[in-house]
Amino acid sequence: MKTVYIYDAVRTPRGRGKADGKLHTVRPVHLAKTVLESIQQRNNLDTSLVNDVILGCVTQVGEQGGCIAKSAALYAGYADTTSGFTLNRFCGSGLEAINQGASSIMSGYFDMIVAGGVEAMSRIPIGSDGGAWMIDPDVATKTHFVPQGISADLIATLGGYSRTDVDSFAVESQKKATLAWEEKRFQKSIIPVIDQNGMTILDRDEHIRPGTTVESLSGLKPSFLEMGTKYGFDSVAIQKYPSVTEINHIHHAGNSSGIVDGASVVLLGNEETGNKAGLKPRAKIRSFSMVSTEPTIMLTGPGPATEKALRAAGMNIGDIDLIEINEAFASVVLRFVDEVGADMSKVNVNGGAIAMGHPLGATGAMLLGTVLDELERQNKSTGLVTLCIGGGMGIATIIERV
C-alpha cells in the first residue's frame, strides 16, 4: 500500500447562501474552477500528472449537474488526460472525495488526484434534487424518516443538552471564527473569488456574525417545533425512541450550520509523482473510515466513525492534537465530545459551520485544509476531521504532518 501525501489545500471564502450573498452571481462551475486553477498555479503543477478530479456535490441538478468535476477541470484548463468524477454522500461528500482519492492512490490505481467539493446553495437550493427517502411517502414511512433538525433536537433531548448549552456553543463558534479572521489564520488557504474583469467578488467568509451573544440568540424561535408537532415528525421519532415522551426543540438558525456557497480542493499524491512534480508534502493520510448508524436520529455517525479511524491508525483520541467536526447543529458536536471523550479545547479551534456556514459538498475538504493549516500554525502533528451525514452515516479522516 502506497503512502498518500497531502501536498496542498485551498478553498474559496464561504458566501451567504441567499440572493443577497456575494457569491450568488457566481456559477458553481466558476467556484470549482477558481480552486482548481489556484492549486495548479500555487504548485506550478503539470496537470497531465493529475489522473482524476473528484468533487463532492450534494445537489447535482441544473448548473451543478452533468459531472461538474469534469466540466470544471476542462474549464480550469487541466490536461485532456485528467478525468473527472462527481459524487454525493450528502454532507460528507467533500471528505469522501478525498478518501476515495486516497484509496485509489494507496492501491496504485492512480498516482495523483485533486479532490474536494463545490456547492452553490444560493443558486441551487438544498433539496431541489428530490430523493425517494425524503419525498416518497411509502419510503419515508417505512424508514422512519424525519428532517435533520428533528434529529438534532432528539439528540439534545436524549443527551440532556439545554437551550443555553447549544446557544453557548454557538456563541463560542462565532467568537473563535471572528478571532481567526482577525489573526489571519485562514490566509494560507483562502482564494478570493474574482470576476471576469479581475475584480474581487469575495475574499472572506461572509456568514460570520461578530458580537453574537447568548442573550441575542435567546430571542430566536426554535426552527423545528412546528415541523415536529404540526406535521407529526416528533411522533415518528418517538416511535423509534419510546423512552422520550416529548422532544425539546432548541435548535434554530443561530445554533445550526449556515447555508452558504463555496468550493475547496486538496492535492493528493504518492511520493514518486510528488517528487516528479517537484512538490513537498505537508502531511500524510493515516486512516479514514465510513460507518452508518440508526437513520432516524441520523446525526450520531461522527463518534463511531472516529473510533473506527482511530483503530485503523492504532491511535486513541488523546493522540489527536486538533479536531474538526462539522457543526451541522450544536448538539451534534456536544454529543461527539461526550461520546469519544475529546478535549473541547482541541475541537474547532477556529470556529465552525455555525459561524462560517456549511456548503454541503465542499465542507469536508474545507475542514481538512483548516486542520492542516492550524497544525502547521501551532506546530502540532495529528488532526482528525469528521462529519455527520444524512441517513445515519458518519465519516472521519486522520492526517499527520510530515
Side-chain angles (χ1 to χ4, degrees):
M1 299 284 278
K2 292 181 179 290
T3 300
V4 180
Y5 291 101
I6 301 169
Y7 291 102
D8 203 5
V10 299
R11 73 170 177 94
T12 68
R14 298 172 175 96
R16 192 166 54 248
K18 297 182 179 180
D20 62 350
K22 292 288 183 65
L23 296 181
H24 176 63
T25 60
V26 182
R27 306 179 326 279
V29 71
H30 183 82
L31 293 176
K33 171 180 178 282
T34 296
V35 289
L36 288 172
E37 283 184 337
S38 175
I39 210 155
Q40 185 277 320
Q41 293 166 2
R42 281 165 51 123
N43 297 280
N44 193 27
L45 181 63
D46 176 0
T47 58
S48 69
L49 298 174
V50 177
N51 303 115
D52 206 8
V53 170
I54 307 176
L55 294 182
C57 183
V58 174
T59 312
Q60 295 181 37
V61 295
E63 295 175 323
Q64 289 182 170
C67 191
I68 193 171
K70 180 58 179 176
S71 299
L74 290 170
Y75 193 32
Y78 276 47
D80 292 346
T81 53
T82 301
S83 54
F85 172 37
T86 309
L87 61 84
N88 177 9
R89 202 186 283 279
F90 297 143
C91 297
S93 298
L95 194 59
E96 176 66 15
I98 292 169
N99 291 352
Q100 287 205 21
S103 297
S104 296
I105 294 168
M106 290 170 68
S107 69
Y109 183 64
F110 283 144
D111 299 317
M112 180 169 284
I113 285 174
V114 177
V118 60
E119 207 82 34
M121 300 181 74
S122 70
R123 297 174 69 95
I124 311 295
I126 184 173
S128 56
D129 57 339
W133 183 43
M134 292 169 280
I135 67 173
D136 185 315
D138 184 51
V139 176
T141 301
K142 288 183 178 178
T143 59
H144 289 83
F145 167 79
V146 300
Q148 286 194 351
I150 305 295
S151 301
D153 286 338
L154 176 60
I155 288 172
T157 302
L158 290 168
Y161 305 124
S162 69
R163 172 69 181 258
T164 301
D165 292 333
V166 292
D167 282 357
S168 296
F169 179 84
V171 168
E172 288 303 307
S173 181
Q174 295 285 352
K175 288 180 178 178
K176 291 174 183 177
T178 300
L179 178 63
W181 270 103
E182 288 174 352
E183 296 187 350
K184 300 182 178 181
R185 297 184 188 180
F186 301 126
Q187 289 303 112
K188 191 170 187 176
S189 297
I190 286 285
I191 306 303
V193 179
I194 309 296
D195 68 16
Q196 60 186 5
N197 298 315
M199 302 295 291
T200 297
I201 300 172
L202 186 66
D203 61 2
R204 62 178 291 118
D205 292 321
E206 190 181 20
H207 189 267
I208 302 173
R209 296 179 294 277
T212 300
T213 65
V214 173
E215 290 72 28
S216 66
L217 292 180
S218 67
L220 298 177
K221 295 181 179 180
S223 296
F224 309 103
L225 174 60
E226 182 177 4
M227 185 183 295
T229 55
K230 184 176 180 179
Y231 296 101
F233 286 114
D234 281 5
S235 297
V236 174
I238 290 170
Q239 286 178 30
K240 293 296 291 285
Y241 293 87
S243 63
V244 175
T245 58
E246 183 180 4
I247 293 177
N248 185 19
H249 290 287
I250 59 175
H251 286 91
H252 51 74
N255 57 34
S256 307
S257 56
I259 294 173
V260 292
D261 304 330
S264 181
V265 291
V266 175
L267 177 59
L268 306 170
N270 59 32
E271 183 176 15
E272 297 83 357
T273 307
N275 288 338
K276 185 176 181 180
L279 301 174
K280 181 179 179 181
R282 296 172 62 186
K284 63 181 177 181
I285 293 182
R286 284 287 302 268
S287 68
F288 45 86
S289 69
M290 169 57 58
V291 302
S292 193
T293 61
E294 199 281 303
T296 298
I297 200 166
M298 196 181 310
L299 308 173
T300 60
T306 292
E307 297 290 357
K308 185 176 180 181
L310 288 169
R311 288 194 300 272
M315 304 171 73
N316 60 58
I317 195 65
D319 297 323
I320 302 296
D321 294 316
L322 292 172
I323 298 169
E324 287 288 326
I325 173 172
N326 187 37
E327 294 174 359
F329 300 90
S331 65
V332 171
V333 184
L334 296 177
R335 177 191 168 105
F336 168 80
V337 169
D338 289 343
E339 183 177 3
V340 305
D343 181 347
M344 184 63 92
S345 69
K346 298 179 178 180
V347 177
N348 296 2
V349 298
N350 293 323
I354 289 174
M356 292 177 285
H358 172 28
L360 301 184
T363 302
M366 287 187 174
L367 296 185
L368 190 137
T370 296
V371 80
L372 176 57
D373 285 349
E374 188 63 18
L375 287 171
E376 292 174 342
R377 191 185 76 85
Q378 293 192 28
N379 195 27
K380 298 287 181 66
S381 178
T382 55
L384 165 76
V385 177
T386 184
L387 299 91
C388 59
I389 307 174
M393 296 182 285
I395 191 169
T397 303
I398 295 173
I399 69 170
E400 181 180 356
R401 286 179 60 205
V402 296

